[in-house]
Amino acid sequence: MALKVKFWGVRGSIACPSAHHIKYGGNTSCLEIKVGDRRLVLDAGTGIRGLGQTFLKDDVSQIHILLTHTHWDHINGFPFFVPAYDPRRSVHIMAGHLRGGEGIQNVLAAQMDNPMFPVPLSAMQAKMRFEDFEAGMSFNIYDDVHVRTAPLNHPNGATGYRIEHAGHAICYVSDTEHVPGKMDQNILGLIEGADLVIYDSTYTEEEFPTKIGWGHSTWNEGVKLCRAAGAKSMAIFHHDPEHEDDFMDKLGEEAKKEWSETFVAREGMELSYGDD
């Protein structure tokens, strides 16, 4: 079976539904990983609402959600994830940055608590399982689907993921901030030889100096990391809301000139690695 990914949300910071964000999309971070009829979800930004509707249509009953972290743009679609309200389904949620702290269940409950949201977490009648782990750990979601993780450099912490199946690997590295002139060894180890690296490219090199400490990176740094680690391709991801379609077109052209295996992630884009 092939290892597949579909992008349901590619923006960072805040959703931006406008006529200037049509080509690449305005929903915030959410990816779907498919291995046959099995589904994994990476992050629960606003893109997860549409994904949830697809899960209902396809009658997906077992759902695993892996969260990079719990800043709003990565979880504020979760209250609108309809399968979680269906008692016939099971939803397993994991996070690697809260162990020993509040815990993922408490954080998700807080964003749905009064006065922020009218429906509490307890209204989700699916078989809910919340699990905190330490970024850097590895585990199997299924016998043939292995997950490696790494801590990322982001305010309040974040987790990078490597999903492996049948000799193929997709890596999700968002949100992270690089240190100029120093490659992140955690990321290098995580993405080594990967088929695809989805990398936090929020800022341009020109924008980055005024955004230090905000927890994000550039496509230029992603390309350096991918080349050093022998990764095969890179998706530019977590687009700044200020970067409209025309801007992203030009950015994508510039990045492809630097490395032909680089491309800009678009909402709805689907990629496959391996044989079906």
Side-chain angles (χ1 to χ4, degrees):
M1 288 178 289
L3 182 62
K4 301 179 179 181
V5 59
K6 182 172 182 178
F7 295 86
W8 288 88
V10 299
R11 290 282 161 185
S13 302
I14 191 169
C16 48
S18 84
H20 303 290
H21 299 84
I22 299 298
K23 182 174 181 179
Y24 296 95
N27 280 304
T28 60
S29 303
C30 181
L31 309 176
E32 176 188 12
I33 303 289
K34 301 179 185 179
V35 181
D37 60 355
R38 295 166 294 175
R39 314 289 183 92
L40 307 180
V41 181
L42 292 167
D43 277 335
T46 57
I48 202 173
R49 188 193 69 83
L51 175 56
Q53 297 293 336
T54 299
F55 281 176
L56 294 181
K57 180 181 177 182
D58 294 346
D59 197 25
V60 176
S61 59
Q62 188 178 68
I63 302 161
H64 299 274
I65 301 176
L66 307 176
L67 299 174
T68 56
H69 63 308
T70 45
H71 287 160
W72 280 344
D73 53 327
H74 293 255
I75 64 169
N76 63 1
F78 178 70
F80 301 92
F81 185 59
V82 177
Y85 295 89
D86 187 342
R88 297 171 297 174
R89 305 177 199 278
S90 65
V91 180
H92 177 202
I93 302 170
M94 301 181 70
H97 68 298
L98 296 168
R99 193 174 187 181
E102 295 176 270
I104 188 57
Q105 181 173 356
N106 290 332
V107 171
L108 292 178
Q111 82 156 344
M112 296 176 68
D113 198 6
N114 289 327
M116 280 77 73
F117 198 75
V119 180
L121 183 67
S122 60
M124 291 182 162
Q125 294 301 299
K127 299 174 182 66
M128 304 293 291
R129 179 185 169 198
F130 302 91
E131 184 176 354
D132 293 288
F133 65 91
E134 193 76 37
M137 294 176 62
S138 299
F139 48 87
N140 283 354
I141 292 290
Y142 299 100
D143 288 344
D144 59 344
V145 179
H146 185 63
V147 179
R148 289 170 50 194
T149 72
L152 301 177
N153 181 31
H154 192 66
N156 310 121
T159 302
Y161 290 95
R162 179 187 178 104
I163 313 298
E164 301 176 335
H165 169 72
H168 294 280
I170 294 172
C171 296
Y172 181 44
V173 182
S174 184
D175 295 14
T176 193
E177 179 176 320
H178 67 277
V179 177
K182 183 179 179 181
M183 288 193 182
D184 189 317
Q185 296 300 311
N186 290 332
I187 294 176
L188 282 173
L190 188 74
I191 69 174
E192 183 178 4
D195 294 273
L196 173 66
V197 177
I198 301 159
Y199 187 77
D200 179 348
S201 307
T202 305
Y203 302 127
T204 64
E205 288 287 289
E206 294 74 25
E207 292 167 334
F208 180 78
T210 64
K211 308 293 186 181
I212 290 174
W214 290 28
H216 299 289
S217 191
T218 67
W219 67 260
N220 312 75
E221 185 68 18
V223 166
K224 292 176 186 176
L225 288 164
C226 287
R227 283 175 157 170
K232 298 173 184 175
S233 64
M234 189 189 90
I236 293 169
F237 184 79
H238 204 270
H239 314 325
D240 191 301
E242 298 298 321
H243 296 171
E244 299 175 349
D245 287 343
D246 289 347
F247 186 99
M248 294 307 301
D249 283 343
K250 294 175 184 177
L251 186 149
E253 292 171 3
E254 182 183 352
K256 191 164 284 291
K257 288 179 182 177
E258 177 67 25
W259 190 37
S260 62
E261 301 306 317
T262 306
F263 60 92
V264 179
R266 301 189 315 272
E267 198 169 308
M269 177 183 280
E270 298 184 68
L271 303 166
S272 181
Y273 303 93
D275 299 322
D276 281 316

